[in-house]
Amino acid sequence: MAKPRSLRPVKLEPAAMIIATRLTEAIMDGTLTPGRQLGEAELAGQLGVSRGPLREALQRLVQQGIARSEPHRGVFVTTLDEDDVRDIYLARTAIESAACRLILQQSPQRSADRLATVHRSMATAAGRRDPAALSAADMALHQALVEESGSLRLKRMAETLFVETRMCLSALADKYPTPVDMADEHAAIIEALRAGDEKRLLVLMDEHMQDAVHRLTGGDGPRVSEPPEVAAG
């Protein structure tokens, strides 16, 4: 007689992962500011957790590069300088350009439809001049772009870069683009994707990243790259 099948137990997310996610969110929105010490006793008390999983969560942040560990001192939120900003956007350009190429080989119309849905949230936030909602929609759109590539490795590499991007934007909110400009830039990228125009799509993505670098660094230093010329129209 066949042995009756049993249900598999529900696997709960490890406590350290939940704590790491909570801390990451606090770093992204500026609650935990760059350079701040992540004291175990203070955080354990605030989060209502024991030090064991908290310590593991802090090590996860260190491994991701969004926190740093100093011997005999403790763990601190990473402070990003202008070289970091350039490096972050250089890496994002490579990853998101690769994602664009993969999307064009698969289902660009479907992906453009998904991005257009996210873009509507961005346009709404722009109309309300809501910087928090606009920033969230911005990151959601770029995350959706990478996800649409279907590459798990691109998605994994992009995750830390998106956290670091949010850290940059939280620290330098006064240099964020105007809502209308931001919405228009993303609309042009979606239009090029829908049209299957790889050359224009990659140039627009490159220029979008370069604009961010120049805005966040005050326009100093070398550009991320020199894109090829795009014919007008």
Side-chain angles (χ1 to χ4, degrees):
M1 183 175 178
K3 184 179 180 180
R5 294 182 178 181
S6 59
L7 295 175
R8 295 181 179 179
V10 176
K11 293 184 178 180
L12 298 178
E13 198 170 9
M17 190 174 295
I18 296 172
I19 297 169
T21 299
R22 187 73 58 84
L23 292 175
T24 299
E25 291 170 350
I27 290 171
M28 285 194 298
D29 67 20
T31 300
L32 296 174
T33 55
R36 175 170 170 175
Q37 184 170 11
L38 301 175
E40 290 184 10
E42 178 187 4
L43 291 175
Q46 290 181 0
L47 296 172
V49 298
S50 61
R51 291 200 184 189
L54 174 62
R55 194 171 294 120
E56 184 180 341
L58 292 176
Q59 288 308 307
R60 287 174 181 266
L61 301 188
V62 171
Q63 290 168 2
Q64 287 181 298
I66 58 178
R68 70 181 192 279
S69 178
E70 296 187 8
H72 311 299
R73 292 196 63 207
V75 178
F76 299 79
V77 177
T78 296
T79 299
L80 301 174
D81 59 22
E82 292 187 359
D83 286 339
D84 290 316
V85 172
R86 295 188 189 96
D87 198 38
I88 289 165
Y89 279 89
L90 176 66
R92 281 191 58 189
T93 300
I95 289 172
E96 295 187 47
S97 294
C100 287
R101 291 190 180 95
L102 287 172
I103 290 171
L104 289 173
Q105 295 170 15
Q106 300 170 41
S107 303
Q109 295 298 325
R110 182 203 66 195
S111 297
D113 288 341
R114 180 183 175 190
L115 296 181
T117 299
V118 181
H119 185 263
R120 283 194 286 273
S121 298
M122 179 180 292
T124 299
R128 296 200 312 262
R129 295 192 172 273
D130 182 340
L134 189 63
S135 176
D138 177 15
M139 296 314 305
L141 192 147
H142 285 277
Q143 287 172 322
L145 175 72
V146 176
E147 288 171 1
E148 284 296 304
S149 74
S151 170
L152 295 177
R153 287 168 181 79
L154 286 181
K155 181 181 176 182
R156 186 166 63 238
M157 288 187 292
E159 286 176 354
T160 296
L161 292 171
F162 288 145
V163 173
E164 291 178 319
T165 299
R166 286 290 297 272
M167 291 170 67
C168 293
L169 299 179
S170 294
L172 300 167
D174 59 321
K175 295 184 179 180
Y176 216 57
T178 63
V180 174
D181 288 345
M182 177 179 239
D184 288 348
E185 282 185 20
H186 289 83
I189 289 171
I190 295 170
E191 288 171 8
L193 179 64
R194 191 181 297 281
D197 189 339
E198 179 176 339
K199 182 178 179 181
R200 180 164 179 76
L201 175 60
L202 295 180
V203 170
L204 288 171
M205 181 64 71
D206 190 277
E207 290 178 343
H208 179 59
M209 297 297 182
Q210 289 186 51
D211 286 345
V213 170
H214 278 243
R215 199 166 51 242
L216 294 171
T217 63
D220 297 327
R223 296 175 74 83
V224 172
S225 63
E226 292 298 330
E229 300 238 345
V230 181

